[in-house]
Amino acid sequence: MFVLNLILSALSLTAIAEEDSIRTEQLDEVVVTSNSARQRIKNVQTGAELIQIEDLTSAPQLFGENDIMRSIQLLPGVKSESDASSGFQVRGGTSVQNQVLFDNAPVYNVGHMAGLFSAFNDDALASATLYKGLLPAQYGGASSAVLDVTGRTGDKTGWHGGATIGLLSAKGTLEGPIVKDKASFLVTARRTYMDMFLKLSNDFKNNSLYFYDINAKLDWTLNTRNQLFLTFFTGYDKTAVEDMADIRWGNLTTSLKWLHHFNGGSNSQTTLYWSSYMTDNGVDFAGFNLWYKGHIRQGSLRQDFHIELGRHQLKAGFQSSLLNVKSAEWQIINKYDKEERRAWENAAWLNGTLNFSEALSASLGLRLGTFSPLGGSLYYDIEPDGNIGWYYNYKQNEIVKTYTTLEPRASISYQPTPLTSIKLGYARTSQNIHALRNQSTSTPFDRYAISSNIIEPEVADQVSAGFYLMTPSQAYDFSLETYYRQTDNVIDYRDGKSFGSEIEIERLVLAGDGKSYGVEFCARKNAGKLTGWLAYTLSWSKTRIPGINNGNWYDANNDRRHDINIVAMYRPNKKWTFNAAWVFNSGQAFTAPSGKYQLFDNWIYYYAERNGYRAPDYHHLDVSAVWTIKRSWCTQQWVFGIYNIYNRYNPYLINFEDSENGNRTRAVQYSLFGIVPSIAFNIKF
């Protein structure tokens, strides 16, 4: 918490006291062909949001950037982590309980600048599907939700490009044929230039504040049955405050996919991918020196089969992965230590979509997963007091322990009329990469660990039911869903422990149970010049861990009772589009000291209850206007936006400060910003 406070202060944050013929299309990219009301009614999968990039990213965004991550936060059952954060939370889970896939490769910490910008450049995206916990069997690795994002391929027939210049960042896109009608490429790149502004100031010229990301994709049609795709993505951030902090983090993924078409519409996909996320952070302030490094690296082979069986469909496959996770490597003053472990993860699945009649359909699946931590690093036992009791030295690549999970999945849809549907679902999901954080927001200081001889896989069971209705014209549709989720082996910090307390992560944590439940309502207007939706979520999220909070249930860090999102898009003509979004969230739970006592010359805080207090309510209104000019050779756009138009200072962090003599303590709210205007110019040819 000290480190985060330091960074926020150093950056001068405002403090306030309150989608069977010759196929040449990539299969994934045509999964989403429409986001109509009829599709939402007929889709068998409950708890799934099929996302069209073009429509969803038309909501107003911070700094004039189209950002799919923050647009997702406007959907029912989805919450933002904090003000302007790109991290999202689904049905009581945290962002680290989600899995984000980009062309099958996982991406971690999907934000730039601690979440102010999404890691994904929207010009590189084709489609996305968000599964809110009720996952088809081909998905695993997340106990809460999966966001499956597909990258866009280049045009095989002609050259196109584009550029955007905004107040804080610029980006460019180029695509075209390598061999006409056979092979194409797409390249996008984006970079901020805030560091250039800092150099104009004598006070900040030695500081750094920037990020960049690059997307590239090659698409090669070998013949009428075979196609290759090569995807590359990298993103990098650096924030450096002179003589105080140097914070760096980044993602790199690459995937090679072979798509083969069989007769009758069936196909197979073979994917090799590599994913790497790293952090490298240093802080030196007031005699406190910390240099912290961590990473998640994963290489995998994945095989998918899609089989057409008349009116039914079958998906089957397997995956094998090797993981390397460095929980931490740090140097504090003269002390140096690290904890790094490896694991072998395997999964096989079978999922059938069965259309029994026009009215009744079902998605039934089963996933079998194994996870084996490997030797080559230290393992140990932990005593009840948190100290190490015994060390174990396993040989390199020796299997330490194997966890096996059997995960049934089911979703049933019944349409009593063409205009209505009722859906029921159940899914068991598991996760073997765990994260620890001192706060409710994703930061580069989050610590990650894998299941070990002590930490067990996190396993969640969720049930859901929903009712869906649309008008005959499909101009309006409505949905009402309710859910209950029970999670085993949730970890949290022991009382009195925090980020830098110990290098051995098992000494920091205890495991217990979590539960979340709620109701989601959404009303959409789909036709006319004015379109949009209203989403409301009522939810609870609680945790119970023996040894924490006296073993009693307590509100989770991300527990928020009410979430309201109102989104409107008005298109009076072909030139102008006006967008607005209002967001309201109840105050988030946090832990505050119940008292304090003096020990020698230091004041020590006493905490009687975990997350027993609430932050102030969070809300803001964002608006934007887009002026589009179509010329013979290009399309030009001016994007004008105002984030937080009524200048609401929302809580980002709450800290506690003592008076000079230590007799009094006050809560201090830190906010990122108030009203933020933006302007950007786009050109596409």
Side-chain angles (χ1 to χ4, degrees):
M1 183 63 73
F2 165 78
V3 175
L4 184 57
N5 290 346
L6 172 64
I7 297 165
L8 296 177
S9 301
L11 294 177
S12 301
L13 302 176
T14 307
I16 302 176
E18 332 199 312
E19 159 156 158
D20 183 16
S21 58
I22 296 176
R23 299 189 179 186
T24 58
E25 302 296 331
Q26 184 179 1
L27 183 67
D28 320 35
E29 296 182 357
V30 294
V31 171
V32 181
T33 57
S34 171
N35 203 23
S36 66
R38 183 171 300 279
Q39 186 182 50
R40 285 189 286 270
I41 296 291
K42 292 184 69 66
N43 182 28
V44 64
Q45 195 70 42
T46 185
E49 295 283 352
L50 307 180
I51 301 161
Q52 285 185 300
I53 304 299
E54 181 179 355
D55 289 343
L56 195 54
T57 54
S58 60
Q61 302 295 341
L62 182 63
F63 304 137
E65 284 276 343
N66 283 335
D67 192 330
I68 184 176
M69 305 308 297
R70 283 199 295 273
S71 297
I72 285 172
Q73 297 167 5
L74 299 173
L75 298 172
V78 184
K79 305 176 182 182
S80 65
E81 285 187 309
S82 63
D83 200 14
S85 172
S86 60
F88 64 97
Q89 304 169 341
V90 180
R91 292 186 170 180
T94 66
S95 63
V96 293
Q97 293 173 312
N98 302 329
Q99 186 175 71
V100 180
L101 302 175
F102 184 63
D103 281 353
N104 282 338
V107 179
Y108 301 93
N109 201 340
V110 290
H112 289 302
M113 295 181 60
L116 297 183
F117 291 79
S118 166
F120 296 122
N121 183 339
D122 65 295
D123 289 339
L125 309 183
S127 66
T129 303
L130 175 66
Y131 297 95
K132 297 188 288 189
L134 294 170
L135 313 179
Q138 60 266 32
Y139 294 102
S143 63
S144 182
V146 168
L147 176 64
D148 188 2
V149 182
T150 300
R152 189 165 66 88
T153 56
D155 194 327
K156 293 187 179 70
T157 60
W159 290 82
H160 304 281
T164 298
I165 300 176
L167 291 178
L168 300 178
S169 65
K171 60 182 179 180
T173 303
L174 184 63
E175 62 176 299
I178 300 174
V179 179
K180 192 171 183 179
D181 298 324
K182 294 284 290 184
S184 70
F185 78 95
L186 171 76
V187 177
T188 69
R190 178 174 56 165
R191 193 193 192 278
T192 57
Y193 31 71
M194 286 170 285
D195 53 321
M196 300 178 185
F197 294 133
L198 293 176
K199 295 185 184 301
L200 300 177
S201 167
N202 289 329
D203 294 331
F204 299 104
K205 64 181 180 179
N206 293 322
N207 299 339
S208 295
L209 184 62
Y210 73 89
F211 75 80
Y212 69 81
D213 53 51
I214 301 171
N215 293 79
K217 191 165 186 176
L218 301 178
D219 171 8
W220 184 15
T221 302
L222 303 176
N223 50 46
T224 58
R225 293 190 181 275
N226 296 284
Q227 197 170 4
L228 289 178
F229 304 91
L230 178 62
T231 302
F232 172 83
F233 161 71
T234 187
Y236 179 81
D237 284 72
K238 180 177 181 180
T239 300
V241 182
E242 184 180 15
D243 298 328
M244 291 177 60
D246 190 351
I247 306 165
R248 312 176 190 192
W249 72 96
N251 279 286
L252 185 152
T253 71
T254 183
S255 61
L256 175 63
K257 181 164 60 178
W258 168 36
L259 174 62
H260 175 76
H261 295 283
F262 301 102
N263 292 330
S266 301
N267 65 73
S268 74
Q269 284 189 149
T270 305
T271 307
L272 283 169
Y273 70 75
W274 168 260
S275 173
S276 175
Y277 166 72
M278 72 87 187
T279 60
D280 188 356
N281 310 309
V283 175
D284 188 354
F285 180 74
F288 178 82
N289 179 277
L290 166 66
W291 196 270
Y292 162 76
K293 296 181 181 181
H295 66 238
I296 305 174
R297 298 169 182 165
Q298 182 175 354
S300 184
L301 167 65
R302 178 184 175 110
Q303 178 64 57
D304 291 89
F305 297 96
H306 178 94
I307 303 170
E308 294 285 346
L309 300 172
R311 62 194 303 174
H312 310 302
Q313 296 177 345
L314 188 66
K315 291 186 178 181
F318 62 86
Q319 181 170 334
S320 184
S321 305
L322 287 175
L323 293 92
N324 181 301
V325 176
K326 183 186 290 183
S327 166
E329 176 184 356
W330 61 34
Q331 182 175 354
I332 305 176
I333 311 299
N334 295 320
K335 180 183 178 182
Y336 172 83
D337 210 346
K338 73 173 182 177
E339 183 173 72
E340 182 175 358
R341 290 179 175 168
R342 300 165 58 250
W344 183 28
E345 186 172 23
N346 296 278
W349 59 87
L350 182 66
N351 199 95
T353 301
L354 311 174
N355 297 294
F356 301 107
S357 66
E358 287 294 323
L360 182 62
S361 58
S363 174
L364 305 175
L366 188 64
R367 183 181 182 92
L368 176 65
T370 65
F371 188 89
S372 303
L374 301 175
S377 56
L378 285 176
Y379 291 82
Y380 36 81
D381 287 332
I382 300 296
E383 301 291 344
D385 60 1
N387 291 318
I388 296 176
W390 192 263
Y391 284 98
Y392 299 96
N393 269 313
Y394 292 92
K395 297 179 181 179
Q396 187 79 15
N397 298 326
E398 182 182 356
I399 293 178
V400 175
K401 189 174 185 177
T402 296
Y403 296 99
T404 302
T405 57
L406 191 62
E407 304 173 19
R409 317 276 176 87
S411 190
I412 301 172
S413 175
Y414 173 65
Q415 286 188 253
T417 73
L419 302 179
T420 60
S421 67
I422 301 170
K423 301 179 186 180
L424 302 173
Y426 163 77
R428 168 169 288 184
T429 55
S430 67
Q431 180 171 338
N432 286 288
I433 297 179
H434 314 268
L436 270 177
R437 53 175 54 162
N438 276 27
Q439 60 290 317
S440 58
T441 303
S442 300
T443 73
F445 291 93
D446 294 343
R447 293 188 63 181
Y448 293 86
I450 57 177
S451 298
S452 65
N453 61 318
I454 298 174
I455 298 177
E456 299 183 13
E458 192 172 281
V459 180
D461 293 276
Q462 182 181 153
V463 292
S464 177
F467 176 76
Y468 309 82
L469 167 69
M470 69 177 179
T471 59
S473 66
Q474 301 184 48
Y476 297 89
D477 71 281
F478 308 88
S479 64
L480 181 66
E481 290 193 32
T482 185
Y483 66 91
Y484 181 89
R485 188 164 72 105
Q486 174 74 44
T487 309
D488 299 328
N489 305 319
V490 175
I491 64 172
D492 203 350
Y493 279 108
R494 294 172 180 261
D495 288 338
K497 296 293 185 178
S498 61
F499 168 85
S501 301
E502 313 290 348
I503 187 71
E504 302 91 357
I505 203 164
E506 282 98 337
R507 296 180 64 186
L508 298 175
V509 303
L510 291 172
D513 304 322
K515 64 181 178 181
S516 58
Y517 47 93
V519 180
E520 305 164 1
F521 170 78
C522 188
R524 302 176 188 257
K525 185 178 185 299
N526 309 306
K529 293 182 178 181
L530 177 64
T531 60
W533 67 87
L534 181 154
Y536 169 69
T537 304
L538 172 66
S539 62
W540 291 260
S541 182
K542 297 179 179 295
T543 306
R544 181 178 62 187
I545 300 177
I548 297 176
N549 201 51
N550 297 317
N552 298 318
W553 286 100
Y554 60 89
D555 292 336
N557 288 342
N558 61 324
D559 180 80
R560 295 201 305 243
R561 199 66 64 241
H562 306 281
D563 284 78
I564 303 173
N565 301 305
I566 302 175
V567 180
M569 294 162 280
Y570 180 62
R571 298 177 176 89
N573 51 52
K574 293 182 179 181
K575 289 187 177 181
W576 283 99
T577 302
F578 300 94
N579 308 307
W582 184 70
V583 175
F584 172 88
N585 308 144
S586 294
Q588 198 153 289
F590 71 96
T591 302
S594 302
K596 64 180 180 180
Y597 57 90
Q598 192 170 18
L599 183 65
F600 301 110
D601 294 330
N602 298 316
W603 286 98
I604 309 299
Y605 287 117
Y606 169 69
Y607 298 89
E609 185 180 8
R610 182 73 62 100
N611 294 338
Y613 296 83
R614 291 280 167 173
D617 293 339
Y618 168 100
H619 54 88
H620 60 85
L621 173 65
D622 313 327
V623 297
S624 70
V626 182
W627 182 32
T628 303
I629 308 166
K630 292 190 176 183
R631 305 187 184 279
S632 59
W633 63 279
C634 72
T635 298
Q636 299 173 355
Q637 282 185 338
W638 284 95
V639 182
F640 309 93
I642 303 177
Y643 178 88
N644 195 7
I645 194 170
Y646 52 77
N647 199 35
R648 163 77 174 183
Y649 284 98
N650 286 298
Y652 183 78
L653 177 69
I654 295 177
N655 197 23
F656 299 92
E657 299 179 355
D658 290 324
S659 60
E660 289 187 7
N661 60 13
N663 291 328
R664 303 185 66 182
T665 301
R666 66 170 186 159
V668 178
Q669 173 182 307
Y670 290 87
S671 302
L672 281 177
F673 32 61
I675 185 172
V676 181
S678 62
I679 184 172
F681 175 71
N682 305 327
I683 184 170
K684 296 182 179 182
F685 60 89

